[in-house]
Amino acid sequence: MRAPPLAFGCIAIAAAAVASCHRGGGSSGGGGPAPSSSVITIGVALGTCPDIAVCERECDAGSADRCRRLAATYALGDGVDKDETRATVLYEHACDMKDPSACVFAGQMYEFAHGVPKDDARAARFYERACDGQYAPGCFNLAIMYERGTGVPQDRAKAADLYQGACTAGAKQACDKARELHGPAGIPFLDGGLP
């Protein structure tokens, strides 16, 4: 069965925009956070390559930005034949060059089987690399995986901490999820027992 096409409903440029990418477009009652595929459309906002030859030369010369843009060009089929397998290789290459958004895209390619076999564990590793690079969408996507136990062992405490990191970076929906998973704040004198 062929994977569904990349979604283009939410364009997220900054971590705060991740909060608006929620299943059904709303912020309540949607059954949890949006699948992390909604963030894949950052590629549209971060750009593609109008001149493939120039981007290929600059990517080969070590420009992570050009590798990521070239990957988006192939993933979207923007002026070239759509080639998700080539896009994934280029996203991985840009991720290796420390481009955290490329790490998120590589993760999404594996999580949603776009041009490569589905591999949730590999997707989680890419999201972790993005999160390690202080990129909130990577932390958010990794939190979803830990919350659900997809590609990683289920660990709601770790998910809550990751959501909190994305929240600190400005992603409102991540703040809501962090509060939900951490639970209500305790009453200090009751938490320590009675005197």
Side-chain angles (χ1 to χ4, degrees), residues 5-193:
L6 300 177
F8 293 103
C10 295
I11 296 178
I13 299 173
V18 173
S20 69
C21 292
H22 189 276
R23 182 177 294 133
S27 61
S28 63
S36 53
S37 64
S38 61
V39 182
I40 201 162
T41 58
I42 293 172
V44 174
L46 294 179
T48 57
C49 288
D51 187 329
I52 301 301
V54 169
C55 280
E56 285 179 350
R57 273 195 312 275
E58 292 176 358
C59 175
D60 290 343
S63 170
D65 175 72
R66 291 304 176 186
C67 291
R68 181 189 23 78
R69 288 174 181 266
L70 190 58
T73 301
Y74 281 104
L76 300 169
D78 185 15
V80 296
D81 289 337
K82 186 173 184 171
D83 186 343
E84 292 177 328
T85 302
R86 175 136 171 78
T88 303
V89 168
L90 289 163
Y91 282 137
E92 289 184 47
H93 187 55
C95 178
D96 289 342
M97 290 188 271
K98 310 289 188 236
D99 182 322
S101 63
C103 297
V104 169
F105 298 131
Q108 290 169 331
M109 299 303 270
Y110 283 100
E111 185 178 1
F112 299 99
H114 288 289
V116 292
K118 181 172 179 58
D119 187 338
D120 289 330
R122 195 165 184 180
R125 287 191 300 273
F126 279 110
Y127 295 149
E128 183 172 35
R129 289 173 68 183
C131 187
D132 288 347
Q134 306 303 306
Y135 191 60
C139 298
F140 190 84
N141 288 3
L142 186 58
I144 292 169
M145 296 190 92
Y146 272 106
E147 181 182 6
R148 295 178 180 169
T150 306
V152 294
Q154 187 173 31
D155 186 337
R156 292 175 56 85
K158 185 168 182 93
D161 291 342
L162 289 163
Y163 282 129
Q164 186 59 54
C167 171
T168 300
K172 181 187 177 305
Q173 183 181 6
C175 300
D176 296 340
K177 290 301 295 178
R179 276 192 299 277
E180 175 187 320
L181 292 179
H182 277 301
I187 301 170
F189 97 90
L190 289 179
D191 286 348

